[in-house]
Amino acid sequence: MKKKTIIDILKVIEDLSHIKDIDSLLESVLYEARKITNADAGSIFLKSENHLTFEYVQNDTLYGTEENSNDYLYSKRKIFIDNKSIAGYVTQTKKPLVINNVYKIDKKSPYSFNKSFDAKSSYHTGSMLTVPLITSREKVIGVIQIINAKNYRGKIISFTKDDEFLVSLFAAQAAVAVEKALMTREIILRMIKIAELRDPLETGVHVNRVGAISVEIYKKWAVKEGIPKKEITRNKDILRIAAMLHDVGKVAISDVILKKKGKLNEMEFEMMKFHTVHGARLFKDSNSEWDDMAVDITLNHHEKWDGTGYPGNIKNIYNDNLKIMPGKKGTEIPLFARIVALADVYDALMSSRLYKRSWPEDRVLKLIEKESGKHFDPNLVEVFFDIQKIITSIREKYN
């Protein structure tokens, strides 16, 4: 075992500790665990009561070498925690498990390999290393499962004792970052629940969908634009959380307006427009990238590409005598606000509201296509239609 390998792992762990969003973190944890052993594929699960919930899958053979951009990662698959599944067995024993060939597991073993994914995808799973994510309080919060270690020639080989040690070392430290990110997500969702008490439309599932769709639109757009991978990863991390809080300013709007069962009149709608300003005020006095993005999104996600949106070019959002100004146009609107605008409108139209029923998807898609270059950035609309399969999976996961 080379000392440099351990040093490299410690450097990776340091980088992971700076990731705020749980989804971005899990994606990176799985990717880095695979890199340690040059594994072709893998999955990561989180523990939820008596189940393991499937969170991410990566597979270089099926999906390419990029960190995943596929609809399968939004699967709702769950595994009951018992000795029958490999991941469940590792969760219960709290010990790593190396299997040289999953199709030749000793029949005396309590666990067995589920062949359904291989059958469905025409993939062949060979060697497997499954490692628990255990916190400092000896609590299992998840499982990393990596598949098909490869040698320098690309041939599938067995995982070694060194692989087991290094991935276990990595997992022990990664669990700390995962626990921290889960706490951050819980705090965000509690903020959403506070907003939900005021606005019954601002639900956890809605903001989860808006956050996930926004990240996928950005990722696809950024790759097409040739944005460096490191920058994409950093922006994805802070975008999901900032997008989830896009309407948090509604807590400052009267219940008479928020809970009205019907269309708002002109005066009520003018008052509603100020939720964008109230939201931006919450994040304005800060020097972090996350707060800067949150300001951009909360303030501008109702601006429109053609300049007919709101609140417009307000010079000082702390002014006591605020007025809605002429809307910002085109690229005057920050990129991440343009992305969230598209994700938010799509999900709002697909969802039931106090004043309307959910729209059929074909009607929603026709409207978005029609509003390309008017309400929405046309380049983002193009990306949106490119990832429809992923968006459908997001809606199925957070339904």
Side-chain angles (χ1 to χ4, degrees), residues 140-269:
V140 178
I141 57 173
V143 171
I144 302 172
Q145 193 167 75
I146 51 178
I147 296 165
N148 289 351
K150 289 185 175 182
N151 62 17
Y152 67 97
R153 292 179 179 176
K155 181 182 178 181
I156 296 172
I157 58 175
S158 299
F159 291 95
T160 66
K161 281 291 182 183
D162 282 357
D163 292 335
E164 181 183 340
F165 171 78
L166 290 171
V167 175
S168 296
L169 171 67
F170 171 74
Q173 299 302 315
V176 177
V178 170
E179 187 175 36
K180 181 180 174 183
L182 284 170
M183 289 175 63
T184 300
R185 173 61 64 86
E186 185 59 32
I187 289 169
I188 296 299
L189 289 176
R190 284 177 184 175
M191 290 178 68
I192 299 302
K193 286 176 182 177
I194 292 171
E196 193 177 337
L197 293 174
R198 302 288 323 289
D199 179 10
L201 309 183
E202 199 64 12
T203 61
V205 287
H206 169 64
V207 298
N208 268 309
R209 289 193 297 257
V210 171
I213 293 170
S214 296
V215 165
E216 293 298 332
I217 292 173
Y218 168 71
K219 183 163 62 173
K220 182 74 173 180
W221 173 88
V223 170
K224 289 178 72 173
E225 293 294 316
I227 305 298
K229 184 176 180 180
K230 190 173 183 179
E231 183 179 342
I232 294 174
T233 301
R234 186 179 71 249
N235 285 332
K236 279 168 48 187
D237 175 32
I238 55 180
L239 172 58
R240 190 185 306 264
I241 298 176
M244 288 174 71
L245 292 168
H246 64 283
D247 270 342
V248 72
K250 286 184 178 179
V251 294
I253 303 299
S254 166
D255 283 352
V256 175
I257 295 173
L258 287 178
K259 297 180 180 180
K260 182 177 180 180
K261 292 184 178 181
K263 192 173 181 180
L264 301 180
N265 61 39
E266 187 175 344
M267 183 179 295
E268 290 167 337
F269 185 53

Side-chain angles (χ1 to χ4, degrees), residues 34-48:
R34 290 173 51 229
K35 279 178 64 178
I36 292 170
T37 59
N38 194 33
D40 181 59
S43 301
I44 194 164
F45 304 81
L46 286 181
K47 186 173 180 290
S48 177

Side-chain angles (χ1 to χ4, degrees), residues 72-89:
Y72 192 78
L73 64 86
Y74 291 104
S75 166
K76 291 179 67 176
R77 186 157 59 97
K78 291 184 178 181
I79 297 174
F80 187 75
I81 297 174
D82 56 23
N83 286 339
K84 295 180 181 179
S85 69
I86 295 169
Y89 177 82

